Amino acid sequence: MRKKFFAVVTAIMVLAMGTTCFAAESGTTNATTETKGITMTKATEAQVTAAKAEAAKSVAEKAEVVSVFELTADTAVAEKKADGTYEVTVKIASVAATDNIVVLHGLADGTWEKLAAKAGAGTVTFSTKTFSPFAIVKVPAASAAPEAPKAPATGVAFPIAGVVALVSAAGAAVCTKKARA
């Protein structure tokens, strides 16, 4: 019985050590739309990668991609302007009214077009004729001092080590108590 218990405690400890962190959610959809008839969905990992590459290439080397998402329109509900465009307002908490914002619009042929955008307090407004992937990009001010690079968030750590230590100590106590008896 003691050997089985010790084997179970050891197996739990070994398995718990491999689950101390979980990968962060991929994609950067941290926005919501405020426009009637426009639906926002999460972008694919390939779209996020392509948007980041395009932002670094065509916007600015140190441009920050704030959010990448897909938009679709319910043409029966969404309001189209006289020039054939839809005005879209997206809520993004990390955007300030003073930010220099560019919206990248992914086209069907794999290219990206820059759309003019207006930043507000927690919002970005832009116009588009078609819907597909969009990326909200913050452009750093030309006079800003270079920032130290930040490591991306790749996971979340959980304090499993304390739990594993308690289980191991309890297992050792039970095993040594039965050995003395």
Side-chain angles (χ1 to χ4, degrees):
M1 180 69 179
R2 182 177 74 172
K3 288 183 181 181
K4 287 180 184 178
F5 181 76
F6 186 67
V8 169
V9 170
T10 303
I12 290 171
M13 184 174 71
V14 169
L15 294 173
M17 295 304 266
T19 59
T20 58
C21 79
F22 299 93
E25 187 177 330
S26 62
T28 62
T29 305
N30 56 350
T32 57
T33 182
E34 293 186 329
T35 307
K36 182 176 154 186
I38 306 293
T39 305
M40 179 181 289
T41 56
K42 187 175 181 178
T44 65
E45 193 63 38
Q47 291 168 332
V48 172
T49 302
K52 288 180 179 180
E54 183 64 25
K57 181 177 82 174
S58 68
V59 178
E61 187 177 323
K62 298 208 184 239
E64 175 190 355
V65 176
V66 178
S67 185
V68 182
F69 48 84
E70 287 265 354
L71 290 180
T72 53
D74 179 353
T75 55
V77 179
E79 296 177 17
K80 190 182 256 189
K81 297 192 307 188
D83 63 355
T85 62
Y86 297 91
E87 186 171 285
V88 179
T89 300
V90 177
K91 287 178 71 174
I92 302 175
S94 63
V95 173
T98 57
D99 287 339
N100 186 10
I101 298 290
V102 172
V103 174
L104 294 176
H105 176 215
L107 302 175
D109 64 1
T111 61
W112 292 80
E113 70 174 332
K114 290 184 208 175
L115 301 176
K118 182 178 184 232
T123 64
V124 174
T125 303
F126 60 94
S127 293
T128 184
K129 287 185 179 185
T130 60
F131 294 93
S132 55
F134 290 88
I136 307 295
V137 181
K138 276 188 190 180
V139 181
S143 62
E147 295 181 18
K150 291 188 223 174
T154 58
V156 179
F158 292 100
I160 296 288
V163 174
V164 172
L166 288 174
V167 170
S168 299
V174 169
C175 289
T176 57
K177 185 176 183 181
K178 286 189 177 184
R180 289 182 197 161

